[in-house]
């Protein structure tokens, strides 16, 4: 039942012939054998994940020591018009926008125009009394307790004033500073604060201070319905159950939450500026990447950035709309960019960023990500014996560093939803042999049997799951009991 890497999967009903367009800044120069091997490995990996998850188009860059060591475009910016992703392609990066907003806040701090400890009521008039003493630091760390405007019905069609009218009647959701809870209202308010403190519109403050001051290759737009030359079309399966065009939209007050649009070149240039302290001073950067002390002492987030640990290496970054990721490894002087324009099957974009980092620097190998990717690739060979041999080899190599139960469960579900029933059942069976005390693996195996039409074996596995789940974890025994009764009624 439990699925960790993928939230859910939809059968892959659409295939794309991926077009790879080289954009190597050293094109024309002879590459060393190692550079060629590295580039080939990255290209192979990216095309594999695009094919696996039904990603129409993508662009990738890896920057090491201020040098682009890999850059490439893949697939289609527009499927229906057969337009490839090129250097001119503009991607809407969604929540990665929050990184630029965070940097903007810290630029204003350096200019002494605001402070993290300022009450937001200093910049935002007419707030509910309960909200007025919330400080900027709680907005930027998603710990304000404010209600999220995206919880409002039909929020996309509401004007800013209509959102305020509805949202300002609501109470705080929890005590400010208590915990991290991702919330778009926080960055809408930061948008307003930046404009008040700087005296400029968000566009006129952020873009000249962080980018090349152009509206052609970097700009704010939260409405994907707008016709923009060179911008990718977005494709998702959520509206009609199969890959289709989607145009997420919202008013201008969404700019700071999801509105940045740019080319890969602009993002590479921004990354290099950040890395070389041309956006912020080194001490300001250190402050921005400090872990925030939430009251619950468990949540991990810095002052505006996600913090990751990969084999002892610390990295910072953010992802957007399930499809985009930016990551910087300061100690390794390494940055990774992965931007894409949709998916057919949900994937973990942070794991893609992790694996790209490993392909650029073997010291950044993450056993969990590496093992998942290795087994996933082998599973497509539709050879259960090869899969088992590879699995046994990886177990002996990685040992306790990897949660093999979780990985097998995830790959099994991937094949189950693609209707590769034989492979899915074999993987779940393998999991049940190695983890015979886990109720969850038998629940998953039962689901595989049920989905493939083997009702009797499904009932047997569900019964085993109930027997093992003595603590009735998450109340699943009730669900399983109801399921067995339903299947028995069906067979009778």
């Amino acid at each position: 039942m439990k699925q960790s890497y993928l939230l859910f999967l939809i059968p892959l009903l659409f295939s794309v012939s991926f077009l790879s367009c080289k954009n190597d800044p050293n094109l024309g120069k002879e590459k060393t054998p190692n550079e060629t091997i590295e580039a080939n490995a990255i290209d192979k990996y990216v095309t594999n994940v695009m094919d696996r998850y039904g990603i129409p188009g993508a662009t990738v860059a890896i920057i090491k020591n201020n040098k682009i060591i890999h850059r490439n475009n893949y697939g289609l910016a527009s499927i229906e018009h057969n337009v490839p992703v090129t250097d001119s392609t503009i991607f809407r990066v969604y929540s990665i926008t929050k990184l630029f907003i965070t940097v903007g806040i810290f630029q204003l701090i350096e200019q002494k125009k605001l402070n993290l400890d300022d009450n937001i009521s200093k910049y935002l008039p007419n707030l509910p009394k309960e909200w007025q003493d919330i400080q900027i630091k709680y907005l930027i760390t998603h710990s304000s307790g404010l209600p999220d405007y995206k919880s409002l019905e039909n929020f996309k069609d509401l004007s800013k004033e209509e959102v305020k009218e509805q949202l300002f009647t609501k109470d705080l959701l929890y005590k400010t500073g208590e915990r991290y809870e991702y919330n778009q209202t926080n960055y809408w308010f930061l948008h307003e604060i930046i404009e008040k403190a700087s005296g400029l519109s968000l566009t006129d403050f952020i873009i000249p201070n962080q980018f090349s001051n152009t509206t052609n290759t970097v700009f704010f737009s939260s409405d994907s319905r707008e016709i923009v030359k060179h911008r990718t079309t977005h494709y998702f399966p959520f509206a009609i159950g199969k890959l289709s065009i989607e145009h997420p939209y919202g008013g201008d007050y969404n700019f700071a939450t999801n509105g940045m649009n740019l080319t890969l070149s602009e993002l590479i240039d921004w990354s290099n500026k950040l890395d070389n302290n041309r956006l912020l001073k080194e001490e300001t950067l250190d402050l921005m990447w400090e872990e925030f002390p939430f009251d619950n002492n468990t949540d991990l987030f810095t002052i505006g950035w996600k913090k990751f640990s990969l084999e002892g290496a610390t990295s910072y970054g953010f992802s957007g709309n399930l499809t985009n990721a930016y990551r910087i490894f300061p100690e390794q002087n390494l940055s990774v960019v992965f931007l894409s324009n949709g998916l057919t099957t949900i994937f973990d974009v942070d794991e893609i960023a992790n694996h790209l980092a490993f392909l650029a620097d073997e010291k950044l190998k993450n056993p969990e990500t590496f093992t998942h990717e290795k087994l996933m690739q082998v599973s497509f060979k539709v050879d259960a014996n090869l899969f088992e041999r590879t699995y046994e080899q990886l177990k002996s190599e990685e040992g306790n560093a990897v949660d093999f139960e979780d990985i097998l469960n995830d790959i099994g579900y991937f094949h189950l939803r693609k209707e590769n029933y034989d492979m899915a059942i074999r993987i779940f069976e393998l999991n049940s042999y190695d983890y015979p005390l886990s109720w969850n693996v038998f629940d998953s195996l039962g689901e595989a049997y049920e989905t493939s039409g083997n009702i009797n074996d499904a009932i047997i596995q569900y019964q085993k799951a109930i027997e093992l789940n003595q603590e009735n974890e998450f109340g699943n025994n009730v669900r399983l009991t109801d399921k067995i009764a339903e299947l028995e009624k069906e067979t009778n």
Side-chain angles (χ1 to χ4, degrees):
M1 182 202 66
K2 184 178 67 174
Q3 300 176 65
S4 60
Y5 283 81
L6 306 180
L7 303 179
F8 70 92
L9 293 120
I10 296 173
L12 186 58
L13 301 176
F14 191 94
S15 63
V16 179
S17 176
F18 294 109
L19 174 64
S20 178
C21 307
K22 294 289 182 181
N23 295 295
D24 192 334
N26 298 310
L27 194 64
K29 297 180 181 179
E30 185 176 351
K31 291 187 176 182
T32 67
N34 284 342
E35 288 176 328
T36 301
I37 292 170
E38 180 182 84
N40 289 343
I42 294 170
D43 285 337
K44 182 178 179 181
Y45 171 67
V46 174
T47 53
N48 277 342
V49 298
M50 289 179 68
D51 185 51
R52 182 187 310 160
Y53 302 120
I55 301 170
T59 191
V60 171
I62 301 176
I63 306 108
K64 175 79 170 174
N65 297 324
N66 300 313
K67 176 185 176 183
I68 301 172
I69 63 172
H70 184 83
R71 176 176 178 173
N72 206 348
N73 300 318
Y74 309 82
L76 299 174
S78 170
I79 296 172
E80 61 273 23
H81 298 297
N82 198 35
V83 176
V85 176
T86 70
D87 286 355
S88 300
T89 300
I90 294 169
F91 286 83
R92 183 176 168 191
V93 297
Y94 294 92
S95 286
I96 291 177
T97 301
K98 293 178 174 67
L99 298 184
F100 314 127
I101 301 306
T102 298
V103 169
I105 287 290
F106 277 92
Q107 287 177 328
L108 288 169
I109 290 172
E110 287 189 343
Q111 297 170 20
K112 302 188 184 307
K113 292 184 177 179
L114 57 75
N115 192 291
L116 289 175
D117 292 326
D118 288 344
N119 290 342
I120 61 176
S121 56
K122 179 178 178 180
Y123 307 93
L124 306 176
N126 305 317
L127 291 172
K129 188 174 188 307
E130 188 185 18
W131 301 8
Q132 292 179 4
D133 293 337
I134 295 173
Q135 297 172 323
I136 291 174
K137 62 186 177 185
Y138 297 116
L139 298 181
I140 206 167
T141 58
H142 296 282
S143 59
S144 65
L146 290 168
D148 192 338
Y149 70 76
K150 288 203 170 182
S151 66
L152 301 177
E153 187 176 358
N154 298 323
F155 73 90
K156 293 186 292 184
D157 297 309
L158 300 177
S159 68
K160 180 167 67 174
E161 292 309 315
E162 289 171 329
V163 170
K164 285 183 178 179
E165 184 179 346
Q166 293 189 40
L167 199 71
F168 284 20
T169 64
K170 298 183 180 296
D171 297 328
L172 290 179
L173 301 177
Y174 56 87
K175 179 185 174 185
T176 298
E178 178 184 294
R179 63 180 186 265
Y180 171 91
E181 189 168 300
Y182 190 62
N183 183 324
Q184 306 293 0
T185 301
N186 295 316
Y187 275 71
W188 166 31
F189 282 4
L190 289 175
H191 176 163
E192 303 270 321
I193 289 169
I194 286 173
E195 292 190 333
K196 184 72 172 179
S198 68
L200 300 168
S201 70
L202 189 75
T203 292
D204 290 340
F205 178 74
I206 295 293
I207 291 179
N209 283 295
Q210 298 185 40
F211 296 95
S212 57
N213 198 20
T214 171
T215 57
N216 295 322
T217 56
V218 54
F219 56 88
F220 283 101
S221 168
S222 289
D223 193 339
S224 292
R225 300 171 302 180
E226 295 175 344
I227 299 173
V228 177
K229 188 176 182 181
H230 299 306
R231 185 162 69 173
T232 57
T233 303
H234 297 276
Y235 303 92
F236 292 95
F238 308 128
I240 62 175
K242 63 181 179 179
L243 199 68
S244 60
I245 298 171
E246 290 194 14
H247 294 306
Y249 65 91
D252 291 357
Y253 63 89
N254 290 272
F255 279 1
T257 67
N258 61 29
M260 182 58 76
N261 300 252
L262 42 61
T263 61
L264 179 61
S265 295
E266 289 285 0
L267 188 48
I268 290 171
D269 183 56
W270 180 87
S271 182
N272 282 332
K273 287 178 182 176
L274 184 75
D275 199 38
N276 288 284
N277 303 121
R278 289 159 54 200
L279 296 178
L280 296 171
K281 298 175 184 176
E282 185 172 354
E283 57 269 27
T284 307
L285 206 60
D286 290 341
L287 172 62
M288 185 173 67
W289 287 340
E290 280 186 8
E291 293 183 17
F292 189 74
F294 300 101
D295 290 347
N296 64 11
N297 294 317
T298 56
D299 291 339
L300 176 62
F301 195 72
T302 72
I303 308 180
W305 292 59
K306 288 183 180 178
K307 183 176 181 180
F308 304 84
S309 181
L310 189 63
E311 292 310 289
T314 299
S315 64
Y316 306 90
F318 223 75
S319 59
N321 206 38
L322 306 175
T323 55
N324 305 307
Y326 172 79
R327 192 79 65 80
I328 181 169
F329 297 77
E331 293 299 318
Q332 288 72 28
N333 204 5
L334 175 72
S335 299
V336 172
V337 180
F338 178 87
L339 305 178
S340 64
N341 64 337
L343 52 83
T344 306
T345 297
I346 287 182
F347 58 91
D348 189 334
V349 72
D350 286 325
E351 290 302 316
I352 289 179
N354 284 344
H355 201 69
L356 288 170
F358 157 66
L359 292 174
D361 185 343
E362 290 187 355
K363 294 178 182 177
L364 296 176
K365 174 186 173 182
N366 176 267
E368 200 87 20
T369 303
F370 174 81
T371 301
H372 183 272
E373 180 59 29
K374 187 79 172 176
L375 286 173
M376 182 67 89
Q377 288 185 17
V378 172
S379 73
F380 278 89
K381 298 185 183 298
V382 198
D383 182 342
N385 292 329
L386 176 60
F387 184 89
E388 289 183 29
R389 289 197 302 271
T390 306
Y391 168 63
E392 293 297 334
Q393 178 185 348
L394 288 168
K395 271 203 310 182
S396 65
E397 292 174 356
E398 305 299 341
N400 295 329
V402 170
D403 183 351
F404 283 97
E405 178 189 343
D406 217 18
I407 290 175
L408 288 181
N409 202 55
D410 177 70
I411 298 174
Y413 268 108
F414 182 89
H415 285 281
L416 181 62
R417 300 305 167 84
K418 286 175 67 67
E419 301 182 2
N420 298 332
Y421 297 130
D422 289 343
M423 178 58 78
I425 289 171
R426 191 68 198 96
I427 292 172
F428 286 135
E429 285 178 341
L430 184 61
N431 219 8
S432 69
Y433 297 153
D434 277 6
Y435 298 93
L437 299 180
S438 170
W439 70 267
N440 186 68
V441 300
F442 290 99
D443 185 4
S444 299
L445 181 56
E447 186 175 346
Y449 279 129
E450 179 189 352
T451 306
S452 66
N454 189 338
I455 302 303
N456 290 329
D457 281 341
I459 292 172
I460 292 170
Q461 303 308 321
Y462 286 145
Q463 288 172 335
K464 287 182 181 178
I466 292 174
E467 292 168 6
L468 289 168
N469 190 17
Q470 295 181 4
E471 301 296 326
N472 192 23
E473 188 176 4
F474 308 124
N476 274 294
N477 284 354
V478 175
R479 174 184 60 83
L480 289 168
T481 300
D482 290 344
K483 172 61 71 175
I484 290 171
E486 175 189 328
L487 294 177
E488 287 178 338
K489 182 179 179 181
E490 180 180 326
T491 57
N492 291 332

